[in-house]
Amino acid sequence: MAIERSAHATWEGDLRSGAGRFDVGSGAIGGQEVTFASRFEEPGGKTSPEELIAAAHATCVSMALANGLAQAGTPPTRLDTNAVATLDKQGDGFRITSMRLSIRGEVDGLDEDGFRAAAEQAKEGCPVSNALADSVEITLDASLA
């Protein structure tokens, strides 16, 4: 059974002076503004597509890791995951060139090597990682807190 999620965006005006808004289908995020400045300069309280991808990746890896740890009999007490998406100029345009993941975990009954291995497996199995894998360098720093 395929799962579909949706979003809607509207943009008005040109790139530099225009603005856009987006909503997600679930209603969890609505009316969020995006501007040229929030994407390429200072956020000013607004978001960007890259920030949203970073949030999706941090969440996806955390969920995959929590599941893997629980299945191995060592459910986590807490996972703190940071994701940093890098948008860089490439040729005539821009692209996301890298995603840096950093995970700190509280997991009883698991050593540092076991945690790193589980985090690496979660990174490899996460659907967002898989969507980015062919075009974005994904690095992982994982350790127990």
Side-chain angles (χ1 to χ4, degrees):
M1 173 176 120
I3 300 167
E4 293 184 341
R5 298 292 184 254
S6 65
H8 175 261
T10 302
W11 189 269
E12 295 178 350
D14 65 19
L15 176 62
R16 291 199 181 260
S17 63
R21 292 194 175 279
F22 72 90
D23 304 287
V24 298
S26 68
I29 302 172
Q32 294 299 305
E33 190 176 2
V34 180
T35 63
F36 178 86
S38 69
R39 188 171 193 191
F40 294 101
E41 297 166 2
E42 289 299 316
K46 299 175 182 86
T47 192
S48 70
E50 294 73 28
E51 184 175 57
L52 296 169
I53 292 170
H57 205 176
T59 303
C60 184
V61 169
S62 294
M63 293 173 76
L65 181 53
N67 183 55
L69 290 168
Q71 287 183 341
T74 55
T77 301
R78 182 180 176 102
L79 299 171
D80 286 311
T81 305
N82 291 311
V84 178
T86 301
L87 179 67
D88 204 0
K89 187 156 177 52
Q90 298 269 305
D92 291 337
F94 285 83
R95 64 182 291 268
I96 297 172
T97 57
S98 67
M99 182 74 73
R100 293 187 322 271
L101 299 170
S102 174
I103 306 173
R104 298 296 170 261
E106 295 175 21
V107 184
D108 292 332
L110 191 64
D111 65 13
E112 199 73 39
D113 289 340
F115 182 74
R116 275 195 288 273
E120 186 64 38
Q121 191 171 35
K123 179 192 83 150
E124 297 301 319
C126 158
V128 175
S129 291
N130 290 327
L132 300 173
D134 289 339
S135 61
V136 176
E137 177 189 6
I138 302 169
T139 59
L140 173 66
D141 171 36
S143 65
L144 293 170

